[in-house]
Amino acid sequence: MDSVSTPLASLNVEPRVELRDALRTLSERHGSGIRALEELMTQTALSADEMCTRLAAQFRMKPISMRELNQYEPDFDVISFVEATTRLCVCFREINGTNGTNGTNSGKGLLFVIADPLDARTRGVVEHRMRSRPTVPYGWALASAGDISAYLAVREKDVRAMDSLAFDDPIQSAVDPSSLALTLQGISSDDSPVVRLLNSTIYDALKMMASDIHLECRASGLMIKCRVDGVLTVVRRVEGRDVADQVLSRVKVISELDIAERRVPQDGRFKAQYAGRDIDFRVSIMPNQFGEDAVLRILDRYQLSQASGGLTLEALGFQQADTRFMRSVASMPYGMLLVTGPTGSGKTTTLYAILTEINNGLEKIVTIEDPVEYQLGDILQIPVNEAKGLTFARGLRSILRHDPDKIMVGEIRDSETAQIAVQAALTGHQVFTTVHANNVFDVIGRFTNMEVDPYSFVSALNGVVAQRLLRQCCPDCTTDEVIDADTLVRSGIDPDTAGSYLFHRGTGCAACRGSGYRGRRAIAEALRMNDELRQLLSERAPLGAIKAAAMRYGMQSLRTAAVELVKRGETTLEEINRVTMVE
């Protein structure tokens, strides 16, 4: 072809010559065969599968579909996972009848599936490495770049940066706290296997968008787990008690904790850089019978702001009724709004969304948090520093002298903080805060246990929101699911009414990393205070009477909200049974 802009309508006449020559011409111009393939598909209007089939015939390779890729077993010894991702070339083993470039066409060998048939560099690397395996037959196949990328995305759940680490070399006891480098190059270049293990664990957890990393010392070694979308996943088991102890020591070093102390819990924090941004880590060390456990809470401000498309209540997934309730309470001039739920249920994110919406620049908004998880514009945010004496209670006292209009207290943990927050709400301030409780009614008991006067508390309280996070079915691989009658009964659903439910389940794909779930959304039960409820609570009426009154005023339980999502096919019955209790 004379020019890359030459019309390719004649492809149907001479597809073999035109496609091959056009690809080579475009590749010379772009310097990349993948980009040349993308432009060629645009010009010819061929799909990725059609282009792969035609090019495979011209370059005398076997075309491989996504379904066939999933049937093969990868061999990351010849082409590592990281290299396969970079080169878009995957090595598969135990292939029968390989049409090898070394002249062998039978027996078991290796098959290299590549996305760019003109990638001479990758072919040269493979041929060089296969010289050390002269008896192993191998051949080449062609797959689309999208299929290879999707296949590697699925495999990434099992194959991570740490999988190539070995502990054959001696463990170094002296490590430099400043050597934390969350890049593949930094991980591979470090001399200490302990540093490489910890850094690669953190690196992989951030890629998985995990919220926590668990390092558990066992009798035989170290168990590494990550919490992704609220569910713990085993990442790796590392044999050797010495390795486990030194990994925990490394965590203590970078967190500036006492390495010699192994009998009492310790709390610390550290920072790292990943993808050009700072990531905060909150560390909890706990002794056990085999040594110590560590939990690293990942506080990624970028992930918090980007994962939900912005800090708004709609983006968090609340139903319209709950959104209207929270906005209504947040617009009140004074009083207290409590958000409750277990750790990791999204309480702080909900308060951030509320503050973002009500921040119009006309009022002074001050927060005190431990730690500051997300930076809000035009809002004074104070981090707790207990080592320097800045506790929630002391900080809240100082905030009241700073002429605030609205105050956010990250968490009420003790009696002093609870009493100051209630007094602030009674004296003309609007207070937003969180507390750990299972539902909206347990909050009352929590404040009573913290010796807060019940009458003052219910007078200050405007509303309570209890929330949970539910995983959603992956939209790319969702399929219908049949639920048996016994499971429906155990889940509190009448089998006679289940015909109107859209029971769905994700089968697992590249987009959801094989889990069948992608993303989470919030569900809530909201209790708006009124005179009747305040009187019942101050009189310490039976819980049944309080619940009945709340239901009369339109309160919806967490379980009811969760069942509604199952009814619409947005999540699974298994997921709501994991997160909420059957009523």
Side-chain angles (χ1 to χ4, degrees):
M1 294 179 60
D2 297 330
S3 170
V4 294
S5 61
T6 301
L8 295 175
S10 60
L11 283 174
N12 292 329
V13 179
E14 288 288 344
R16 179 180 298 258
V17 176
E18 289 285 352
L19 275 179
R20 182 185 60 210
D21 293 346
L23 180 61
R24 285 174 175 162
T25 304
L26 290 171
S27 182
E28 291 174 0
R29 168 169 291 192
H30 289 296
S32 167
I34 299 299
R35 292 184 59 190
L37 280 168
E38 292 174 354
E39 182 171 342
L40 190 58
M41 282 191 292
T42 301
Q43 292 186 15
T44 60
L46 292 174
S47 67
D49 291 338
E50 292 172 335
M51 180 65 71
C52 178
T53 301
R54 291 197 183 189
L55 286 176
Q58 294 181 35
F59 286 93
R60 297 185 179 181
M61 295 181 181
K62 176 183 177 182
I64 298 290
S65 65
M66 184 64 183
R67 181 181 60 82
E68 292 173 305
L69 285 176
N70 291 325
Q71 295 174 354
Y72 295 151
E73 185 67 24
D75 186 340
F76 291 118
D77 292 334
V78 180
I79 299 290
S80 69
F81 179 81
V82 175
E83 194 174 11
T85 304
T86 303
R87 297 182 180 275
L88 288 181
C89 175
V90 186
C91 176
F92 294 98
R93 61 175 176 265
E94 301 297 322
I95 303 298
N96 289 316
T98 302
N99 187 12
T101 57
N102 58 355
T104 305
N105 58 10
S106 63
K108 294 183 178 181
L110 301 177
L111 182 67
F112 294 91
V113 181
I114 196 168
D116 179 9
L118 298 179
D119 190 355
R121 183 184 297 272
T122 296
R123 297 187 65 151
V125 169
V126 169
E127 290 169 1
H128 175 74
R129 294 176 185 176
M130 292 305 295
R131 288 173 190 161
S132 61
R133 307 182 182 192
T135 60
V136 179
Y138 69 95
W140 294 92
L142 191 66
S144 69
D147 284 348
I148 293 180
S149 297
Y151 173 82
L152 290 172
V154 174
R155 296 295 304 185
E156 188 179 10
K157 182 178 179 180
D158 302 315
V159 182
R160 301 178 176 89
M162 70 177 68
D163 291 347
S164 60
L165 302 181
F167 287 87
D168 297 333
D169 45 338
I171 302 293
Q172 297 182 4
S173 57
V175 291
D176 183 4
S178 63
S179 63
L180 189 63
L182 298 184
T183 64
L184 288 176
Q185 294 81 1
I187 292 170
S188 60
S189 63
D190 201 287
D191 294 332
S192 170
V194 167
V195 174
R196 294 201 306 270
L197 173 63
L198 181 60
N199 290 0
S200 61
T201 299
I202 298 173
Y203 179 90
D204 290 328
L206 290 170
K207 285 192 66 177
M208 297 166 62
M209 300 182 70
S211 61
D212 301 86
I213 303 171
H214 290 242
L215 306 174
E216 303 175 356
C217 287
R218 302 291 179 87
S220 59
L222 184 69
M223 176 81 76
I224 302 174
K225 301 177 181 178
C226 287
R227 187 179 296 277
V228 181
D229 286 340
V231 178
L232 277 177
T233 302
V234 176
V235 174
R236 180 171 177 172
R237 296 175 176 85
V238 181
E239 299 298 325
R241 285 287 302 276
D242 290 342
V243 173
D245 292 341
Q246 296 199 42
V247 168
L248 268 295
S249 295
R250 170 62 179 169
V251 172
K252 291 181 180 180
V253 168
I254 62 178
S255 306
E256 299 182 356
L257 300 177
D258 187 357
I259 299 178
E261 181 57 71
R262 303 182 59 184
R263 296 166 295 180
V264 297
Q266 298 188 66
D267 295 319
R269 61 188 63 199
F270 67 92
K271 290 185 178 182
Q273 279 200 341
Y274 169 78
R277 64 183 188 269
D278 288 332
I279 309 291
D280 292 323
F281 294 83
R282 189 168 56 192
V283 179
S284 173
I285 306 290
M286 191 73 64
N288 69 13
Q289 68 270 37
F290 302 116
E292 293 174 295
D293 278 17
V295 175
L296 282 60
R297 166 63 62 89
I298 301 173
L299 305 172
D300 189 351
R301 300 184 182 96
Y302 176 85
Q303 178 179 325
L304 179 62
S305 62
Q306 296 297 319
S308 58
L311 286 174
T312 64
L313 293 173
E314 282 88 357
L316 298 180
F318 287 108
Q319 296 187 21
Q320 291 185 0
D322 299 323
T323 301
R324 287 195 299 269
F325 164 78
M326 284 184 274
R327 285 183 175 142
S328 173
V329 174
S331 64
M332 294 180 179
Y334 56 85
M336 177 183 288
L337 173 62
L338 277 173
V339 180
T340 185
T343 301
S345 60
K347 302 185 297 296
T348 303
T349 306
T350 298
L351 290 184
Y352 280 157
I354 292 174
L355 292 180
T356 300
E357 292 191 2
I358 66 174
N359 182 22
N360 55 15
L362 302 178
E363 296 177 306
K364 181 75 171 184
I365 303 177
V366 185
T367 76
I368 180 165
E369 309 169 56
D370 184 24
V372 175
E373 297 185 15
Y374 177 67
Q375 296 174 355
L376 301 173
D378 301 324
I379 292 178
L380 175 59
Q381 295 176 269
I382 304 170
V384 166
N385 190 340
E386 295 187 358
K388 299 296 183 180
L390 180 56
T391 62
F392 275 113
R394 182 175 179 180
L396 188 52
R397 289 185 187 276
S398 299
I399 288 172
L400 293 175
R401 296 192 292 269
H402 208 69
D403 189 28
D405 294 295
K406 302 182 187 299
I407 303 169
M408 171 184 153
V409 182
E411 182 182 348
I412 291 183
R413 301 174 178 172
D414 54 71
S415 173
E416 185 179 7
T417 306
Q419 292 177 6
I420 299 172
V422 169
Q423 289 301 316
L426 288 172
T427 54
H429 302 91
Q430 191 174 31
V431 179
F432 305 95
T433 186
T434 72
V435 66
H436 288 289
N438 290 326
N439 53 57
V440 295
F441 304 105
D442 289 346
V443 171
I444 315 302
R446 287 297 309 276
F447 274 80
T448 302
N449 293 336
M450 287 188 280
E451 301 178 352
V452 177
D453 176 52
Y455 181 80
S456 298
F457 173 62
V458 297
S459 298
L461 190 62
N462 290 333
V464 186
V465 176
Q467 72 175 67
R468 298 292 189 276
L469 294 178
L470 287 172
R471 293 182 295 171
Q472 296 176 286
C473 293
C474 175
D476 291 341
C477 61
T478 296
T479 185
D480 294 337
E481 183 182 23
V482 178
I483 306 296
D484 61 83
D486 291 340
T487 303
L488 290 173
V489 172
R490 289 196 302 270
S491 302
I493 298 175
D494 185 356
D496 295 334
T497 64
S500 61
Y501 285 54
L502 298 176
F503 292 110
H504 286 167
R505 173 178 293 276
T507 57
C509 64
C512 63
R513 298 175 182 269
S515 66
Y517 298 95
R518 178 145 56 106
R520 291 189 290 178
R521 64 172 296 167
I523 58 170
E525 61 179 17
L527 176 66
R528 180 189 290 272
M529 298 301 297
N530 55 36
D531 291 341
E532 181 181 353
L533 286 172
R534 286 191 174 95
Q535 183 175 353
L536 290 172
L537 289 170
S538 61
E539 294 174 353
R540 299 189 179 184
L543 183 59
I546 299 174
K547 283 186 176 181
M551 294 297 180
R552 286 201 306 272
Y553 290 107
M555 192 196 80
Q556 184 184 56
S557 68
L558 283 168
R559 182 67 181 186
T560 302
V563 171
E564 282 297 318
L565 294 185
V566 173
K567 193 172 184 178
R568 298 199 299 264
E570 297 181 21
T571 189
T572 64
L573 194 59
E574 177 186 11
E575 176 67 4
I576 71 165
N577 288 339
R578 183 184 69 86
V579 177
T580 63
M581 294 184 64
V582 178
E583 297 175 344

